[in-house]
Amino acid sequence: MKILTADNIGFCFGVRKALETIHSLLRTGRKTYMFGQLVHNPGVIESLRTLGAEIVESLDRVPRDSKESFLVIRAHGIDPQKKEKLKRHFFEVVDTTCPIVGKLFSTVQRAKREGYRIVVFGKVDHPEMEALKGYVEDAVVSESPVKPERKTAFASQTTMSISEYSIFLQQILQKYFEYVKEMKIFNTICEATAKREREVERLAKENNLVIVVGGKNSSNTAKLARIASRFTRSVQIESERELKKDFVNYDKIAVVAGTSTPKSDVEKVSNKLQILCQEGR
Ligand code: SF4
C-alpha cells in the first residue's frame, strides 16, 4: 500500500492568526471567550477549552463575567452591528476576521452602493454568510442558481469550490443572460482553499482512496471530500481513531485535510495507516 500525504496541509494563515491571538490572550490570565466555535474542528476547540477558553453562542447568552473578559471574533467575521453590541458587554472584543473574508465584505458592500443586486454563492447558515448579511442585508445567499436582477454582482463565500462557483455562474448565464443588463463577477474564493481543491482533484485521480481529515462541521473539509468522491472513493474522518482496517485493501491512499485541521492530526492519520498496513501483511 502506498500512502501519500497532500502538500497543502495545516492551518491556513487566517485560522493560524485566530489561534495565535486567542493563545496570547489566554496567556494574560484574563478570562477569554470565543464568539461561536473559533475553528470548525472539535479537537482544536477541546484544547482551547482545556486552556480555559469558553464559547459564547449568542448575544442573549453573554456570561456574567463579560465586563472583565476578552471576546474573540473568529476568522469568519461578524455582523458589524452585533460586534458593536458585544463591545458594550465585554472588557475587549478582539476581532480576528480573516483579511480575505473582510475583502469579500467590502467588495459586496461597494457593489451594493453602486446599485447592484448582490448574489453570493454560499451556504446560508454558514457564519461567514450570516456576517455578510450584516453588511448587505438583502444579499441573496444561495448554493443553487437564482434569477438575478437586471444589474447584479456575484461573489462567493471564501471557502466554496471554484469549480462549483463556475457551474453556478454558467447555469445563471444560460438561463437569464438575456434578462440581465449589467453584471459583475467577483472571484472571492480564498486561494488557500482553491489550492487544496486543485490538489485533491489531482490526488483523487491518482489514488483509490482519499481520506479527508477535518471537522465534520467544516465547510471546506466537506467540500474536499465531495470533490474527491467525483473521481474515487473518499471518506471524511476527524481523527485516526476512525480509520478502518479494511482501508489497507486499497493500494494507493491519499491523505488530505481542510484549512482548520492541525498538521499533527494529518500526521497521526498517516502514521496509523502505516501501522495498519504493517499489521495487515
Ligand atoms: S480559508 Fe482562507 S479565507 Fe478562510 S480563514 Fe483561511 S485564509 Fe482566511
Side-chain angles (χ1 to χ4, degrees), residues 31-87:
K31 182 76 193 176
T32 302
Y33 291 92
M34 39 191 153
F35 196 60
Q37 291 194 13
L38 193 71
V39 175
H40 283 155
N41 184 285
V44 175
I45 295 297
E46 200 38 51
S47 69
L48 288 173
R49 281 193 210 267
T50 313
L51 294 172
E54 282 180 47
I55 296 177
V56 174
E57 293 290 358
S58 69
L59 253 170
D60 320 322
R61 302 224 183 143
V62 170
R64 285 200 186 154
D65 58 354
S66 62
K67 282 280 175 215
E68 297 87 51
S69 309
F70 289 121
L71 179 74
V72 183
I73 304 297
R74 55 192 168 187
H76 299 126
I78 190 170
D79 172 336
Q81 289 96 44
K82 217 181 245 181
K83 182 177 167 185
E84 283 312 305
K85 284 185 190 154
L86 286 165
K87 274 185 178 171

Side-chain angles (χ1 to χ4, degrees), residues 11-15 75-76 98-101 128 158-159 188 190-193 220 259:
F11 297 131
C12 61
F13 79 88
V15 169
H76 299 126
C98 176
I100 295 167
V101 174
E128 182 181 307
T158 57
T159 48
T188 47
C190 163
E191 181 53 23
T193 62
N220 81 88
T259 53

Side-chain angles (χ1 to χ4, degrees), residues 108-125:
V108 292
Q109 225 179 1
R110 197 174 53 246
K112 175 72 192 169
R113 277 198 300 269
E114 290 167 2
Y116 291 89
R117 171 69 152 172
I118 306 299
V119 174
V120 186
F121 177 57
K123 295 181 188 302
V124 77
D125 54 356

Side-chain angles (χ1 to χ4, degrees), residues 191-258:
E191 181 53 23
T193 62
K195 219 190 239 178
R196 288 179 199 225
E197 178 178 339
R198 290 192 287 272
E199 189 178 28
V200 83
E201 188 172 325
R202 181 179 59 76
L203 291 172
K205 287 176 183 163
E206 295 167 357
N207 292 273
N208 320 113
L209 174 66
V210 173
I211 298 177
V212 187
V213 190
K216 298 261 158 67
N217 56 348
S218 157
S219 166
N220 81 88
T221 306
K223 172 188 75 182
L224 295 180
R226 197 172 61 245
I227 287 166
S229 70
R230 287 187 202 141
F231 307 97
T232 192
R233 183 171 176 219
S234 89
V235 288
Q236 186 182 344
I237 59 172
E238 287 188 345
S239 82
E240 78 284 2
R241 290 185 294 280
E242 292 170 64
L243 285 173
K244 295 202 176 75
K245 283 211 171 111
D246 70 346
F247 287 173
V248 298
N249 297 330
Y250 292 86
D251 60 333
K252 285 198 277 178
I253 303 179
V255 183
V256 305

Side-chain angles (χ1 to χ4, degrees), residues 76 98-110 118 120-121 128-129 132 135-136 154-159 186-189:
H76 299 126
C98 176
I100 295 167
V101 174
K103 192 163 174 222
L104 162 67
F105 297 159
S106 57
T107 299
V108 292
Q109 225 179 1
R110 197 174 53 246
I118 306 299
V120 186
F121 177 57
E128 182 181 307
M129 293 296 96
L132 181 137
Y135 289 85
V136 178
F154 296 92
S156 170
Q157 185 182 315
T158 57
T159 48
F186 297 102
N187 181 358
T188 47
I189 293 176

